[in-house]
């Protein structure tokens, strides 16, 4: 469910970008060093759309520019997708008790018996053919 909601928020943000329904003041510039020979530098930003994840924060990039050995991306933060991702992590940690803070012994936990997953093998008896003399 969280994956679906995150993808839906990405599509909604992409539609806003396609319709130019964003504020230029909200754009975040990301610089990435490129080590590619024969790259052509660009003077102006060109429109480009896609997604990037920076330290767990989701961004949709809007424009890019290459200057010598650096790639410049102008991105819009996708805070809705970040919220869904955080909620998914918290839900998974709580459902699986990953945080380990629940030391309450009265809390019932399901014990897993692996016998329920083992399949009994059928047994066969093979008798030698009977010969009459």
């Amino acid at each position: 469910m969280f994956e679906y909601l995150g993808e839906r928020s990405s599509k909604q943000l992409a539609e806003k970008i396609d319709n130019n329904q964003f504020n230029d003041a909200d754009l975040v510039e990301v610089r990435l060093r490129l080590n590619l020979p024969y790259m052509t530098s660009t003077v102006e930003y060109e429109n480009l759309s896609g997604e990037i994840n920076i330290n767990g924060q989701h961004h949709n990039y809007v424009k890019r520019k290459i200057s010598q050995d650096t790639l410049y991306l102008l991105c819009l933060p996708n805070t809705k997708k970040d919220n869904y991702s955080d909620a998914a992590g918290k839900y998974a940690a709580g459902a699986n008790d990953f945080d380990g803070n629940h030391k309450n012994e009265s809390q019932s936990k399901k014990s897993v018996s692996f016998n329920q997953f083992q399949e009994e093998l059928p047994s066969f008896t093979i008798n030698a053919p009977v010969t009459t003399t």
Side-chain angles (χ1 to χ4, degrees):
M1 178 178 82
F2 293 111
E3 185 72 26
Y4 167 74
L5 293 173
E7 290 303 316
R8 191 176 77 174
S9 71
S10 292
K11 286 181 183 178
Q12 289 172 348
L13 187 57
E15 286 176 9
K16 286 183 180 180
I17 291 170
D18 290 342
N19 296 329
N20 288 328
Q21 296 175 341
F22 61 90
N23 191 355
D24 287 337
D26 295 336
L27 294 174
V28 176
E29 184 180 64
V30 177
R31 297 176 188 165
L32 301 168
R33 183 164 294 281
L34 294 177
N35 189 12
L36 298 172
Y38 311 112
M39 284 298 297
T40 305
S41 294
T42 55
V43 178
E44 299 289 324
Y45 281 97
E46 56 188 3
N47 292 335
L48 183 74
S49 62
E51 285 188 41
I52 188 169
N53 187 337
I54 303 168
N55 296 329
Q57 294 181 341
H58 298 88
H59 294 75
N60 286 51
Y61 47 87
V62 179
K63 299 178 182 184
R64 80 164 179 187
K65 175 175 84 169
I66 298 173
S67 178
Q68 296 179 6
D69 64 344
T70 306
L71 170 67
Y72 296 91
L73 295 173
L74 293 180
C75 305
L76 283 173
N78 192 342
T79 54
K80 284 186 180 180
K81 191 167 185 175
D82 290 340
N83 292 341
Y84 292 134
S85 180
D86 290 343
K90 288 178 183 177
Y91 174 76
N96 296 309
D97 193 26
F98 286 150
D99 57 0
N101 292 332
H102 302 292
K103 301 287 183 193
N104 190 356
E105 295 298 326
S106 66
Q107 184 178 7
S108 65
K109 291 191 178 192
K110 184 177 180 179
S111 63
V112 177
S113 171
F114 289 103
N115 293 336
Q116 64 188 1
F117 301 111
Q118 292 179 349
E119 188 176 318
E120 288 188 30
L121 297 175
S123 66
F124 296 101
T125 304
I126 299 175
N127 295 327
V130 179
T131 57
T132 55
T133 54

